[in-house]
Structure formats: structure tokens, C-alpha cells
Amino acid sequence: QAGAAAHDPRYDTLLAIAELLEARGHRVLAVPIDRPYQLNEYPRIVAAINRFGYYSPDHERRPDLFIKWFGARAERLEPWRSRFENVPTLVFENGVFKDSVIVDPKGLLGDSFYAASLEGRVQEGFDEGKCRAKLESMRSTSKRPQSPYIDIPEEIRGNYIFVPTQKFLDLSVTKYSSVSMPELLENVAKYCTLSSTPMVVKIHPHLEGIELGQQKAYVAKLQSTYKNIYLSHASITFLTQHALATATLNGGTLVDNFNSQTPVVSFARSLFSNSTALVYDTSVERGLTRLS
């Protein structure tokens, strides 16, 4: 069950799992998160620290299962390495739906245990009626709260390439993509200019401070160099529904395209790269051409 912290359910969810496993007689180890300041936001973590051995890397307590945060840095895990070597490991991260957590026996995105077999798995027991009903129920929903504000001209609706940004240095980009986020923006801008197609950009809604300023400045630079580039704050649902296509790396917004049943091209390895749910390519120009 997703935790009470609606903005980030991972910690409550994982602690609930730890408590359940411990109640069943398993040995559980909790490993520090990379952002200590978040401990203040999640009192249940503080309460469970000693109970799950948080401060005891030298304690001879071998867990039965190790659940590792997707973004955990190797140097943070090193003191605990002897305690989880050869122990079954799961990887977890925020899920692609609101208040959800994804857990994988191998890795996430392009490293997922399910990446190679997803296309076949979704055909097993497929029920078109239930699928359509589910899509209808989710068509106007998204993982994050969305603004009802519409700020792109009516004359370009249905005729633009949409690019939702990810954090420039997010692990999902640096580890899984040969194309950086600035490169994607630049190459789509070039493509749109040559094809006389407007381009609409929506900045990742969780960015703030320096990161937000960097992305705004980069979009402003593109606007000064290329024509018909718009920065939008409209909902992701509206922007995907009214685009010719969405161009992205491997962000969670892929699911918004799936919900709205709109075309999308991805340039970074993801869970869906080997499926027919999207167009996948490592070349921005070639991928956009394939999509058109």
C-alpha cells in the first residue's frame, strides 16, 4: 500500500514491507538513503533506524533479502557490502503511477528483468474490453498534479512536437542514454525548424532552484536561435493529446502517452524499448523521421 507521504511513497512503502518481513521471521536490513535531510520528513524512518540496523554496518546481521534504492551510490553502500553479498537483491524506485513504487529483481528502465520479455507478457491473457475500459478511466490522469491552464496558441494545436524534460543529470539519463537532455532539445529544435513544425517544451515539474533556472535558460537560448518554440505549463495530458508526437528520453511521461494513446519516440533505454508501445532509436533525427 502506498504510504501516507503522498509526494513520495517509497519510504513508507519499504518500511511497511520490512515490518511485514520481520513479522514473518526474516532478518531485515535498512540502508541509509542518499539524502539525510529527508529523514525529517519521514518520522517512521527515524523510529525504525535502530530496529533495522541502520547505524550498525559492523553488526553481524545477515539479511535474507536486500532491497536497494535505484539511485543509491556505491560508496554509500560499501560499509554494508559484506552483509548483502550473495543475498537476493531487489531494486526499487518511484513507480510510473501516482503513489506507486516499482520493485524489480534485476534493475530499472533498460536494465529491468522484464525489458526483454514485456512485449510477450502483455499478450498473455489480454482482454481488449478491460484494456479499453482501463484506458478510459486513466485518460485524463497523471502521476503528478496537473494544471488546467492552457498556454499554447490554438493555431498550433495538433501540429507540434512535444518534449517533456527530465533532469539534465538524472541517473535515468546519464546511465541509460547516449543522448543528453540538452542534445535532445537542440536536435528537436533543429528538426522542427527545418520541417516548419512548432516545438513545445514542458519543464520537469519537480525542478527548482538552480536546476530549474538552467532549464529555463536553455529553453530561452533555443527560442532566441530557432523559430516557433514554446515553453508550456499546461497539463501533460493536454500536451500529449494535442501533439503530432512526443519526443523523450525515458521519463515517466511515457505512461502519459500510453494513457492518451498518442505517438511517442524514445531515445534512451527503458522498460518499453523492446516493445511496440513506442518508437525507439538512438538517433534523434532518425527517430523523428521514423515517427513521421
Side-chain angles (χ1 to χ4, degrees):
Q1 179 181 355
H7 62 290
D8 193 336
R10 290 174 296 180
Y11 308 114
D12 280 336
T13 300
L14 267 295
L15 280 174
I17 292 173
E19 290 163 356
L20 176 63
L21 291 173
E22 187 183 60
R24 293 180 177 179
H26 295 285
R27 295 176 180 176
V28 178
L29 169 66
V31 175
I33 57 176
D34 275 5
R35 300 176 176 86
Y37 65 84
Q38 288 184 310
L39 289 174
N40 295 326
E41 299 179 35
Y42 302 98
R44 288 187 63 223
I45 292 183
V46 177
I49 280 176
N50 291 327
R51 177 177 172 185
F52 295 124
Y54 191 107
Y55 285 136
S56 307
D58 298 322
H59 191 279
E60 294 299 324
R61 186 184 187 192
R62 185 176 178 81
D64 301 313
L65 174 68
F66 177 58
I67 305 179
K68 179 180 70 172
W69 175 50
F70 167 64
R73 297 193 301 267
E75 61 268 25
R76 292 290 299 228
L77 299 177
E78 190 59 38
W80 284 264
R81 184 167 301 281
S82 63
R83 293 166 66 187
F84 61 74
E85 280 185 333
N86 301 318
V87 171
T89 300
L90 296 178
V91 180
F92 78 95
E93 177 57 295
N94 273 327
V96 292
F97 299 104
K98 185 176 185 294
D99 290 342
S100 68
V101 173
I102 186 169
V103 181
D104 193 283
K106 184 179 177 184
L108 297 185
L109 300 169
D111 290 335
S112 169
F113 174 82
Y114 303 98
S117 60
L118 182 65
E119 182 74 8
R121 288 175 182 270
V122 297
Q123 307 303 325
E124 299 173 6
F126 177 73
D127 186 313
E128 185 171 354
K130 289 183 178 179
C131 182
R132 289 186 181 279
K134 186 67 174 178
L135 281 173
E136 284 300 321
S137 71
M138 300 183 67
R139 194 173 295 278
S140 298
T141 65
S142 186
K143 176 180 175 179
R144 299 180 177 88
Q146 299 294 321
S147 168
Y149 184 58
I150 298 174
D151 54 6
I152 59 173
E154 188 171 354
E155 60 267 22
I156 74 167
R157 296 176 199 172
N159 190 41
Y160 60 82
I161 300 294
F162 172 48
V163 183
T165 74
Q166 294 170 241
K167 295 180 180 180
F168 282 175
L169 296 179
D170 196 83
L171 183 61
S172 63
V173 175
T174 58
K175 182 177 179 180
Y176 295 93
S177 180
S178 59
V179 179
S180 70
M181 197 69 236
E183 287 172 339
L184 175 65
L185 291 166
E186 178 92 26
N187 287 328
V188 174
K190 289 179 181 177
Y191 178 90
C192 286
T193 296
L194 291 173
S195 61
S196 299
T197 305
M199 173 183 174
V200 174
V201 180
K202 180 179 174 70
I203 291 176
H204 191 292
H206 280 185
L207 291 188
E208 56 186 20
I210 294 175
E211 286 184 302
L212 177 60
Q214 287 175 335
Q215 292 209 5
K216 283 184 174 180
Y218 195 85
V219 174
K221 176 186 173 184
L222 293 178
Q223 289 174 319
S224 68
T225 306
Y226 303 99
K227 297 180 180 179
N228 297 321
I229 296 180
Y230 301 83
L231 180 61
S232 176
H233 300 282
S235 79
I236 195 80
T237 302
F238 178 88
L239 292 172
T240 57
Q241 287 178 338
H242 291 82
L244 280 172
T246 298
T248 185
L249 294 178
N250 56 4
T253 55
L254 284 168
V255 172
D256 293 292
N257 286 103
F258 302 157
N259 286 345
S260 60
Q261 293 287 277
T262 51
V264 56
V265 56
S266 166
F267 302 100
R269 292 191 300 122
S270 73
L271 172 62
F272 312 103
S273 296
N274 297 317
S275 76
T276 54
L278 47 71
V279 172
Y280 170 65
D281 210 306
T282 55
S283 163
V284 176
E285 182 179 5
R286 186 173 61 223
L288 290 170
T289 302
R290 286 175 57 193
L291 197 63
S292 61

